[in-house]
Amino acid sequence: MTRDGFLRLLEENLSLDAGALKDDRPLSDIHWDSMGVVSYLALVDGHFSGVIDPEHVAACKRVSDLVALVEAQLEAN
Amino acid sequence: MSAPAVQVRGIASAVPTTIATVEEGVRRFGEAALKIANSTGIRNRRVAGPDMCTSDLCLAAASRMLAGLGWAPHTIDVMLMVTQTPDYVLPATSCALHAKLGLSKHCACLDVGLGCSGYVVGLWLATSLLQSGAARRVLLLAGDTISRTVSSDDRSVAMLFGDAGTATALEVGVEDDAGFVFEIGTDGRGAEHIMIPAGGFRHPVRGPADPGGERRSEHLSMNGAEVFAFTLREVPPLVRSLLDKAHWTLDDVDSVVMHQANRFILEHLGKKMEIPAHKVVIELEGFGNTSSASIPLAITQSLGLELERSRRRLLLAGFGVGLSWAGAALSCGPMFVPPVMALASDGSTTDLQRGRE
């Protein structure tokens, strides 16, 4: 899956408008909450068969941090 | 000599008559409540008032069970009570219930302090006692009034939990196809992720817990992301292991009944494990997450008619507080499964309509 493809899926899961997630966008701008974290964990698990440590997700500040976590997960696989 | 077969003779469930609705959630939390309800699949919850305890719900279920089976109370050798919302600090709730059920002085009574995994652990204990020859009949009670532990201001949990009490009757049987297989696990490193910090002897004094003021230290707190990650890590291997031990494939399983945490989790797990959707029991909409009662309550409501008529192969998986997990593969039925009862505060009961009638 491409980087953009992943972001579009995440937008769908978070009920955001298409294109809302851009790399440098702060997560605080998109009402990132506990349901968002769970949706993100489910998305990564469903598409990349890996469980990301929630503490690492909690440390994310920007959309690019979320993408970097997925990339690290893929490398680990 | 092989261990004797164990049979489940019946499962009965009781819930309070009082209903907490999603509309009440909307009034408190606004539109966010609808978003939560759409994700969790929980619209209404049955909640106990301040005068109703877990033991009251379990008593109603157990009384119906004994009457339905025609079991005299003195024939019960062991009563196990799985709960995290006991009547008292002491004595054990099972002892407090002993006289109310008219059990004999030779009946052993003990409580098990587990929640989401507790029902399956209770089945495992009951089965072990029956197979060892220590008992010929066991009454397993599982229930919680977990809604009474939640802060009504805590959006993360306030709309999740409902209350219920259940009774399951097991005895030594003669059938060959017992098919009881268990797998139990614990990871105490995650104990803090579902916790009521105060009220025990570590922190006996109750008081404020979080800076936001949504809950106090005697309220239930849950780290949803950590619990979800734990579930993703542990439940799929649990199910695979059970299938291996039972020499089953998913085709052999009639229904998979997991702890009714919320719909989002159950659907994700079902998809991940490639379980056909029609085999995954989801019974949340009218009850909510009922902690230790959720698996037997879901069985009673969703599978009651099937189990009254025929033998079924069930795969059960409980997971949560502890953190702990427990799974069982079992063949059971026909058995006694009355409709879920609604218990009023005056002690009267009415039967609810079954889920698949």
Side-chain angles (χ1 to χ4, degrees), chain B residues 15 42-47 160-164 283-290 297-298 301 340-341 352-353:
Chain B
V15 297
I42 297 165
R43 294 200 64 80
N44 297 328
R45 297 169 293 119
R46 296 279 176 161
V47 293
L160 272 185
F161 293 105
D163 305 321
E283 194 58 66
L284 282 153
E285 190 173 354
F287 299 118
N289 174 340
T290 55
L297 177 62
Q301 181 68 359
V340 175
M341 293 174 284
L352 302 183
Q353 191 172 3

Side-chain angles (χ1 to χ4, degrees), chain B residues 73-143:
Chain B
H74 72 267
T75 64
I76 306 297
D77 300 310
V78 177
M79 183 166 73
L80 302 171
M81 172 93 195
V82 179
T83 189
Q84 297 194 123
T85 49
D87 285 24
Y88 313 106
V89 173
L90 60 86
T93 303
S94 53
C95 293
L97 267 177
H98 172 270
K100 290 181 180 176
L101 279 165
L103 304 181
S104 98
K105 285 198 285 185
H106 302 289
C107 177
C109 290
L110 58 146
D111 284 13
V112 178
L114 286 170
C116 323
S117 63
Y119 178 69
V120 183
V121 172
L123 284 179
W124 172 66
L125 287 169
T127 299
S128 302
L129 289 164
L130 291 164
Q131 289 183 328
S132 74
R136 292 193 63 78
R137 283 183 171 171
V138 175
L139 193 56
L140 167 62
L141 309 182

Side-chain angles (χ1 to χ4, degrees), chain A residues 33 35 37-38 41-42 45-46 51 54-55, chain B residues 36 39 155 225-226 228-229 232 264 268 272:
Chain A
D33 59 9
M35 285 182 74
V37 175
V38 168
L41 291 173
D45 180 58
V51 183
E55 283 189 9
Chain B
I36 292 169
S39 172
R155 200 179 73 171
E226 288 286 357
F228 183 56
L232 297 180
F264 180 84
H268 183 84
K272 183 179 171 75

Side-chain angles (χ1 to χ4, degrees), chain B residues 12-315:
Chain B
S13 300
V15 297
T17 50
T18 306
I19 299 173
T21 66
V22 69
E23 287 75 21
E24 292 168 22
V26 171
R27 282 197 287 276
R28 182 174 285 270
F29 301 114
E31 291 302 304
L34 287 178
K35 189 178 165 192
I36 292 169
N38 287 337
S39 172
T40 61
I42 297 165
R43 294 200 64 80
N44 297 328
R45 297 169 293 119
R46 296 279 176 161
V47 293
D51 57 347
M52 187 177 287
C53 290
T54 305
S55 66
D56 299 322
L57 294 159
C58 287
L59 177 63
S63 300
R64 182 74 170 269
M65 174 66 63
L66 295 179
L69 290 174
W71 282 13
H74 72 267
T75 64
I76 306 297
D77 300 310
V78 177
M79 183 166 73
L80 302 171
M81 172 93 195
V82 179
T83 189
Q84 297 194 123
T85 49
D87 285 24
Y88 313 106
V89 173
L90 60 86
T93 303
S94 53
C95 293
L97 267 177
H98 172 270
K100 290 181 180 176
L101 279 165
L103 304 181
S104 98
K105 285 198 285 185
H106 302 289
C107 177
C109 290
L110 58 146
D111 284 13
V112 178
L114 286 170
C116 323
S117 63
Y119 178 69
V120 183
V121 172
L123 284 179
W124 172 66
L125 287 169
T127 299
S128 302
L129 289 164
L130 291 164
Q131 289 183 328
S132 74
R136 292 193 63 78
R137 283 183 171 171
V138 175
L139 193 56
L140 167 62
L141 309 182
D144 277 301
T145 49
I146 207 77
S147 78
R148 292 180 61 184
T149 71
V150 168
S151 163
S152 55
D153 292 327
D154 186 352
R155 200 179 73 171
S156 67
V157 291
M159 295 174 58
L160 272 185
F161 293 105
D163 305 321
T166 69
T168 300
L170 300 101
E171 70 176 339
V172 173
V174 293
E175 293 86 343
D176 293 331
D177 181 23
F180 280 34
V181 165
F182 292 96
E183 179 94 15
I184 313 284
T186 311
D187 184 356
R189 291 172 300 175
E192 65 183 331
H193 296 320
I194 308 177
M195 181 177 270
I196 299 174
F201 290 91
R202 177 68 61 192
H203 302 293
V205 178
R206 301 172 177 196
D210 66 320
E214 290 173 345
R215 62 178 170 268
R216 295 164 58 88
S217 59
E218 69 268 30
H219 288 134
L220 177 78
S221 73
M222 182 168 72
N223 184 329
E226 288 286 357
V227 175
F228 183 56
F230 149 77
T231 302
L232 297 180
R233 282 194 304 269
E234 302 299 346
V235 176
L238 170 67
V239 168
R240 280 196 297 273
S241 175
L242 284 170
L243 291 172
D244 285 348
K245 278 186 173 179
H247 305 294
W248 291 357
T249 69
L250 283 171
D251 289 341
D252 299 316
V253 177
D254 294 306
S255 296
V256 178
V257 191
M258 294 183 274
H259 165 56
Q260 304 288 294
N262 70 59
R263 188 176 63 199
F264 180 84
I265 289 177
L266 297 182
E267 287 182 346
H268 183 84
L269 286 172
K271 206 169 158 187
K272 183 179 171 75
M273 294 185 281
E274 299 180 331
I275 304 169
H278 71 276
K279 292 189 178 186
V280 179
V281 172
I282 299 181
E283 194 58 66
L284 282 153
E285 190 173 354
F287 299 118
N289 174 340
T290 55
S291 186
S292 63
S294 84
I295 291 175
L297 177 62
I299 292 173
T300 313
Q301 181 68 359
S302 282
L303 307 177
L305 282 177
E306 291 175 30
L307 283 167
E308 283 208 311
R309 294 169 183 157
S310 58
R311 196 157 185 80
R312 314 299 289 169
R313 285 183 161 184
L314 305 182
L315 205 149

